[in-house]
Amino acid sequence: MLKRFLFPSKPDGTLISAILLIVRIVFGILLMNHGVFTVSRWLTSNQELSSTFPDPLGIGSSLSLGLAIFGELFCSMAFIIGFLYRLVMLPMIFTLFVAFFIVHGN
């Protein structure tokens, strides 16, 4: 049942397609709002956020900030419009996994 809901075998399943579109738009907008907030904090702090941003992977705080913005903002925009949405889910999932379990987790 869940597999058929997430991956419909018939492309003409109008109800399932409409539900998936609504879910994709809602979750994309929620993550995009967080990305917009991160970018606005970065722009208003005169790029000070790039030096204080957490670096959980050891790649540098400015690169971590750039990857977080990419995963939250640009990938969520592509997710909303449906452009390679299964592919852009990977950076989004990775960004949220790192933020939830490594940065905000104890």
Side-chain angles (χ1 to χ4, degrees):
M1 171 83 176
L2 184 62
K3 182 180 177 186
R4 194 175 73 199
F5 177 74
L6 292 175
F7 305 106
S9 60
K10 293 173 30 175
D12 59 349
T14 310
L15 180 65
I16 293 176
S17 295
I19 290 171
L20 288 175
L21 174 67
I22 291 169
V23 168
R24 192 176 75 217
I25 289 173
V26 166
F27 285 117
I29 287 174
L30 287 174
L31 188 59
M32 189 175 67
N33 283 339
H34 193 270
V36 168
F37 175 71
T38 304
V39 169
S40 68
R41 269 190 13 202
W42 177 64
L43 291 175
T44 58
S45 69
N46 295 328
Q47 284 79 18
E48 181 182 317
L49 183 63
S50 64
S51 63
T52 61
F53 196 77
D55 182 24
L57 303 176
I59 58 174
S61 58
S62 61
L63 185 58
S64 293
L65 175 64
L67 290 174
I69 289 172
F70 174 75
E72 292 173 354
L73 186 65
F74 297 112
C75 288
S76 63
M77 282 187 220
F79 187 71
I80 290 171
I81 63 171
F83 180 70
L84 300 173
Y85 71 95
R86 290 184 183 176
L87 184 63
V88 298
M89 277 178 43
L90 296 175
M92 291 168 47
I93 290 170
F94 183 75
T95 301
L96 292 176
F97 179 80
V98 168
F100 186 75
F101 289 111
I102 298 175
V103 175
H104 298 296
N106 290 332

